[in-house]
Amino acid sequence: MEEIKVHLTEEEFQRLNELFPPSEKSATVGRRAVEIVKYHFLSINSDYKFSKASKGADLKVVCGDFDFEIEIKGTTKADIAWSQLKVSSQTSHDRLFQGLPLYRVISANNIHPTIFVLKHDDDFILSPETRWKIQRKN
């Protein structure tokens, strides 16, 4: 697994805090993680562009004629927090199983988050989990 240390500038950190105030809510952490991954790519090459990914991925990364898609999961924890990593759809499961990289952003609320690039079968496996939907009783 590849480990990428990200060093946000003070300006970028403040921008993220204004857009997505530090929170434990998974939706906020997830959106913040996507922005951290974008920041990482732009720090490598300012020509990178981003667009909506196809179903089962979170982000399409484009540079010239080259493009690829990734799944992004964020956590405020200072470690990968394996037990919290969940795949929310069969499509995401299938894409990860077929090689879609998973970018796990840890310490997402900090100025120095870390990104782990994970690949199915190299770094993780997908285990089925039974879930139940809760509905209001009439």
Side-chain angles (χ1 to χ4, degrees):
M1 98 182 60
E2 181 182 0
E3 181 178 348
I4 303 164
K5 303 263 187 212
V6 179
H7 301 286
L8 300 173
T9 63
E10 189 64 41
E11 294 78 22
E12 180 64 11
F13 185 61
Q14 290 304 321
R15 184 184 81 83
L16 288 177
N17 287 341
E18 289 170 13
L19 287 172
F20 313 107
S23 169
E24 296 296 320
K25 293 183 180 178
S26 61
T28 302
V29 174
R31 289 191 297 269
R32 190 176 176 106
V34 169
E35 291 301 312
I36 290 168
V37 170
K38 288 178 180 179
Y39 178 85
H40 160 67
F41 281 111
L42 290 171
S43 72
I44 295 170
N45 184 336
S46 61
D47 291 336
Y48 276 111
K49 305 287 184 234
F50 309 99
S51 63
K52 186 170 174 18
S54 58
K55 192 172 180 182
D58 289 318
L59 186 65
K60 183 174 187 173
V61 182
V62 180
C63 191
D65 293 337
F66 178 71
D67 67 74
F68 58 96
E69 294 184 331
I70 58 178
E71 176 79 2
I72 302 170
K73 302 282 186 188
T75 183
T76 60
K77 305 273 189 231
D79 59 40
I80 291 178
W82 290 100
S83 65
Q84 293 179 346
L85 276 170
K86 308 287 182 191
V87 176
S88 57
S89 74
Q90 185 66 47
T91 305
S92 291
H93 166 278
D94 295 347
R95 302 269 325 263
L96 289 166
F97 189 81
Q98 295 163 357
L100 181 76
L102 171 61
Y103 281 55
R104 177 61 158 174
V105 179
I106 67 166
S107 301
N109 285 341
N110 296 340
I111 195 164
H112 300 297
T114 300
I115 302 169
F116 288 93
V117 182
L118 309 170
K119 295 284 268 180
H120 181 266
D121 256 354
D122 292 342
D123 305 306
F124 67 90
I125 59 170
L126 294 162
S127 299
E129 178 180 275
T130 304
R131 291 186 164 205
W132 295 94
K133 179 180 178 182
I134 296 182
Q135 294 182 307
R136 182 177 181 184
K137 184 177 178 181
N138 291 330

